[in-house]
Amino acid sequence: MWKRKGRKGRRAAKPIPVELCDLCARVFPEDRSVRGYVPDSSAARVAHEWCDGLRLITACCDEHFDVIKDGYAHRPFVEEELWAAKLTRALTSGPSELSMDQLGCRTGLQEPQIRAAIAWHNERMREQQRTDP
């Protein structure tokens, strides 16, 4: 006859934090990750505004990190794209109707930058509508 052992006194196994390689999608222990920031004008985080314009990349090895980093090195950094991301964050994390002054306070941008960001965003939307079937 089988006797079931109780769980009394046993500790639950702690989950091991894991990461996912941005290049090959391999899952590996977090403590073996290679991480770093690369310039990316599309990166604006909800928290950590000091990281705006920087994208955190994670790789499983130095070689994969270098491939990802090189890919971002060939991508142009467009100021208006970063400003548009800041505007989007401000408009989606609070009141959706803000004056120009309020937008400036919430984003740290000046009126000409805000207008350039809006124009950049609108042009991207028009391009997307032209290419969508």
Side-chain angles (χ1 to χ4, degrees):
M1 176 166 250
W2 293 95
K3 186 174 181 183
R4 177 177 257 181
K5 291 186 178 182
R7 293 186 60 87
K8 187 176 179 181
R10 282 196 203 170
R11 290 187 189 173
K14 290 184 181 179
I16 297 171
V18 295
E19 286 289 345
L20 181 71
C21 180
D22 293 343
L23 183 66
C24 70
R26 179 176 158 234
V27 176
F28 56 93
E30 180 183 46
D31 63 348
R32 297 174 77 206
S33 65
V34 180
R35 291 180 165 170
Y37 288 94
V38 294
D40 180 6
S41 56
S42 70
R45 302 170 98 183
V46 175
H48 311 297
E49 293 177 18
W50 57 271
C51 283
D52 287 351
L54 296 173
R55 179 162 312 280
L56 177 63
I57 58 173
T58 303
C60 60
C61 62
D62 290 331
E63 293 79 19
H64 284 195
F65 183 84
D66 290 341
V67 169
I68 298 166
K69 186 176 82 174
D70 290 345
Y72 278 96
H74 294 93
R75 186 181 188 279
F77 192 94
V78 180
E79 292 286 340
E80 292 83 358
E81 181 179 28
L82 178 59
W83 300 338
K86 290 178 179 234
L87 288 175
T88 300
R89 178 179 55 216
L91 294 170
T92 57
S93 64
S96 59
E97 293 183 24
L98 297 170
S99 69
M100 192 65 74
D101 288 338
Q102 291 169 321
L103 275 173
C105 287
R106 294 204 53 198
T107 61
L109 299 174
Q110 302 295 318
E111 184 174 340
Q113 295 169 317
I114 294 170
R115 291 188 183 285
I118 292 168
W120 182 90
H121 172 78
N122 290 343
E123 182 57 32
R124 297 298 83 65
M125 293 297 103
R126 283 190 286 276
E127 286 175 7
Q128 186 177 17
Q129 289 173 352
R130 286 191 293 262
T131 59
D132 285 346

